[in-house]
Amino acid sequence: MNLLSERVLNMSTSATLAMAAKTRELKAEGKDIIGLSLGEPDFNIPDYIKDAAIQAVNDNYNSYTPVDGYGELKDAIITKFKRDNNLSYKPSQIVVSTGAKQSLANIAAVLINTGDEVILPCPYWVSYSDIVQLNEGVPVEVKTSIENDFKLTPQQLEAAITPKTKMIWYSSPCNPSGSVYSTEELRALADVLQNYPNIIVISDEIYEHINFIGGHASMAQFDDMFDRTVTVNGVSKAFSMTGWRIGYIGAPEYIARACTKMQGQITSGANCIAQRAVITALNESPSRIQFMVDEFKVRRELILGLLEEVEGFKTNVPEGAFYVFPNISSFFGKVLKGHKIENATDFSLFLLEHANVATVTGVAFGNPDCIRISYAASQEQIIEAIKRIKDAVS
């Protein structure tokens, strides 16, 4: 007799976390695995942020925090939104959560009713679809192409909308493709949405500062979209604070209140020490973390140049984040070292076994023709990893 709920039985395991766990397991067995699967910067947290956390410990911060975050942190988030995005939020529109993933889970829980459709431009971040389905929503996947830099077009958006459409979720810069929507591209999508005033936009901007073209654009920057857009962000990527688990939203007040209510019954407020450190992180100028962005850009050029030498890989130029998302469908139907490659999952597993390089299948991101390769690794590791991949597929 199976006592587990259908909810959890029908849920997928996070492909990125599963590959990371497999990588750790193989490393523990003594295998020399280069992990390019996890979306985690390899930099240390800047000292000024660590010092703020140490100060919070010494100041005896140890109590439960307000469900929606410390007032000082909400003020820092408001300052950040105004300074970096020209968005004006009130404290009642800000909710701090245990990572941006919880922010997204809160949003889904308070907005989705059974059968509501959520448009997901493919590729999308690995957890979007399962979070929607967990809340009895229906993911509507819209395929994009590498030729169009994996961006949703206004025509595709229009075609995907039905009377059941509740929301559209997207990330920019995008995980896994690194695509960045320009102001003009977002405006074109917003123009389509003017005909559908009840559709809510979820704009995931967690990679905002890891942007190689400058001029990050937010859907909420348009006056006619501000009151129907939830802007999701956090400190995991740009500040290399993945384990600190702080995310936040700027949202219409009724959504923010609902997320606070939901969070109050699930986790309550986020970690007190982490919140104090993030106050300092957000109040400082983004120029203090520019050194990480500069290094990611160097690595991007390195890995793109190396992949050009690997026959069968088709790449574009990602404009942000720290991933490449090559199309590897040319290998489908071929036999490599005794393994027949039928799809991206087969290819990713082949690379793990025969190249000792961990990547992630594009199937998990809604694109079965690609794999995601993270270049949040040292230049030496990137060079060695692509050499191994080239040798394995030659």
Side-chain angles (χ1 to χ4, degrees):
M1 182 178 180
N2 195 334
L3 299 180
L4 295 177
S5 69
E6 290 185 10
R7 184 181 300 107
V8 74
L9 291 173
N10 292 331
M11 185 188 300
S12 302
T13 299
S14 169
T16 53
L17 298 182
M19 183 60 85
K22 182 65 175 176
T23 300
R24 288 192 293 269
E25 178 184 319
L26 292 173
K27 284 183 176 180
E29 294 174 0
K31 293 189 177 181
D32 178 22
I33 305 295
I34 299 177
L36 302 182
S37 64
L38 203 56
E40 183 167 35
D42 58 325
F43 297 98
N44 292 323
I45 300 169
D47 286 342
Y48 66 95
I49 300 175
K50 290 190 286 188
D51 290 343
I54 294 168
Q55 186 62 51
V57 173
N58 291 334
D59 288 342
N60 296 311
Y61 278 93
N62 57 10
S63 301
Y64 288 128
T65 60
V67 173
D68 53 350
Y70 283 127
E72 300 98 316
L73 177 52
K74 295 174 79 169
D75 288 342
I77 292 168
I78 290 169
T79 298
K80 173 260 174 296
F81 272 133
K82 187 63 178 178
R83 178 193 65 213
D84 300 342
N85 313 106
N86 198 28
L87 301 178
S88 297
Y89 288 107
K90 299 180 295 185
S92 57
Q93 295 177 284
I94 305 296
V95 181
V96 178
S97 300
T98 304
K101 184 181 285 190
Q102 186 183 21
S103 297
L104 291 165
N106 286 342
I107 293 164
V110 305
L111 288 175
I112 295 175
N113 290 311
T114 301
D116 284 345
E117 294 179 352
V118 179
I119 295 173
L120 303 179
C122 299
Y124 50 76
W125 181 53
V126 62
S127 291
Y128 285 176
S129 181
D130 275 284
I131 290 174
V132 169
Q133 292 180 78
L134 178 63
N135 290 278
E136 300 184 338
V138 180
V140 177
E141 298 185 354
V142 181
K143 306 297 181 184
T144 63
S145 67
I146 193 170
E147 290 78 13
N148 194 44
D149 289 327
F150 300 109
K151 294 181 184 179
L152 180 73
T153 67
Q155 295 77 17
Q156 287 177 309
L157 175 58
E158 179 75 54
I161 294 173
T162 76
K164 294 183 178 181
T165 303
K166 185 68 170 284
M167 288 185 280
I168 172 175
W169 287 24
Y170 75 95
S171 59
S172 178
C174 177
N175 176 3
S177 70
S179 303
V180 177
Y181 284 92
S182 67
T183 299
E184 294 73 21
E185 288 165 337
L186 289 180
R187 181 65 257 177
L189 296 176
D191 288 342
V192 172
L193 293 170
Q194 295 311 301
N195 297 319
Y196 307 95
N198 293 324
I199 295 177
I200 298 168
V201 176
I202 310 303
S203 177
D204 182 349
E205 303 181 14
I206 191 73
Y207 291 91
E208 168 194 1
H209 291 300
I210 308 175
N211 180 328
F212 309 127
I213 60 174
H216 174 80
S218 300
M219 183 66 82
Q221 74 190 52
F222 306 122
D223 291 341
D224 54 9
M225 294 301 298
F226 181 79
D227 289 332
R228 51 192 293 204
T229 298
V230 181
T231 305
V232 180
N233 212 319
V235 296
S236 292
K237 311 302 181 180
F239 295 90
S240 195
M241 296 177 71
T242 53
W244 294 63
R245 310 310 303 134
I246 297 293
Y248 55 86
I249 63 170
E253 192 167 324
Y254 75 97
I255 295 177
R257 285 199 307 267
C259 287
T260 299
K261 179 180 179 181
M262 178 63 64
Q263 188 164 295
Q265 295 289 14
I266 305 299
T267 61
S268 298
N271 177 279
C272 59
I273 303 303
Q275 286 198 56
R276 304 310 301 184
V278 173
I279 292 170
T280 294
L282 294 183
N283 277 330
E284 291 289 329
S285 168
S287 63
R288 299 199 67 173
I289 55 172
Q290 185 62 38
F291 71 95
M292 298 188 212
V293 181
D294 293 341
E295 175 60 20
F296 280 133
K297 187 174 183 179
V298 170
R299 296 175 186 180
R300 180 191 67 163
E301 300 308 312
L302 173 63
I303 196 168
L304 287 175
L306 293 171
L307 286 174
E308 283 183 2
E309 301 173 5
V310 183
E311 187 175 353
F313 278 65
K314 181 179 181 180
T315 61
N316 66 323
V317 180
E319 297 176 326
F322 39 71
Y323 310 106
V324 288
F325 199 60
N327 185 305
I328 44 80
S329 60
S330 64
F331 293 99
F332 296 172
K334 294 183 178 180
V335 177
L336 300 176
K337 301 188 186 303
H339 294 262
K340 188 170 184 180
I341 307 299
E342 299 285 5
N343 50 46
T345 301
D346 289 344
F347 191 75
S348 186
L349 292 173
F350 168 81
L351 293 181
L352 182 62
E353 180 178 352
H354 290 279
N356 284 347
V357 175
T359 60
V360 186
T361 172
V363 172
F365 303 98
N367 187 316
D369 294 332
C370 300
I371 60 171
R372 191 189 77 172
I373 305 175
S374 168
Y375 52 88
S378 69
Q379 294 185 38
E380 292 75 17
Q381 286 179 308
I382 292 170
I383 292 169
E384 175 62 20
I386 305 307
K387 177 183 181 297
R388 293 181 185 184
I389 290 173
K390 183 178 181 180
D391 291 343
V393 302
S394 294

